[in-house]
Amino acid sequence: MNQKLDLKISIWVVPITWVVAAITTIILWAVDLDWMCYLIGVCTGLLNFGLMIKMNRRIMRMAELYPENAKSMAKRQSWIGVIIRILVFMGVFLALFFKMAYQNPDGIWSLVTAFGGFATVKVVLIIIYFIFRRRLSE
């Protein structure tokens, strides 16, 4: 039951995030702010979310195939997933830093905008968790 709920939540997060990102991008474009960095942040957040979902499915599959080693394999796989997601985040944001902020002191706002895009995925995920939790309790 819990895996089905996680799958439903995962299916809803991506399209809702794209809708929120499209609206926010149009607003940023209209007020002449750095909308491209926002989209880079959203794409990085969605990539990390996808990697997390893929690693979760891999852990579940390994637990079914090898139940005697499930605990140790789950710990190892989850740490590998965390390290990969951190490397992706650091790679993208370091590239943005050296492209935008390193040469221009005012470019630090591009990083803030990109981090806002990255956080958009997390905010949408939290809101969807609250919505699904409320539906389950009713």
Side-chain angles (χ1 to χ4, degrees), residues 40-94:
I40 290 171
V42 169
C43 290
T44 304
L46 286 172
L47 176 64
N48 276 349
F49 180 72
L51 289 171
M52 181 184 67
I53 296 302
K54 184 174 181 164
M55 194 59 65
N56 185 24
R57 288 181 184 163
R58 180 179 293 169
I59 290 170
M60 291 298 174
R61 188 174 59 239
M62 293 290 233
E64 290 174 359
L65 293 175
Y66 308 106
E68 64 277 352
N69 298 332
K71 188 175 182 179
S72 64
M73 293 178 104
K75 283 183 181 180
R76 191 184 74 190
Q77 289 295 321
S78 63
W79 276 108
I80 289 172
V82 167
I83 290 170
I84 290 172
R85 291 193 318 265
I86 288 173
L87 287 175
V88 167
F89 175 81
M90 293 299 289
V92 169
F93 278 81
L94 281 175

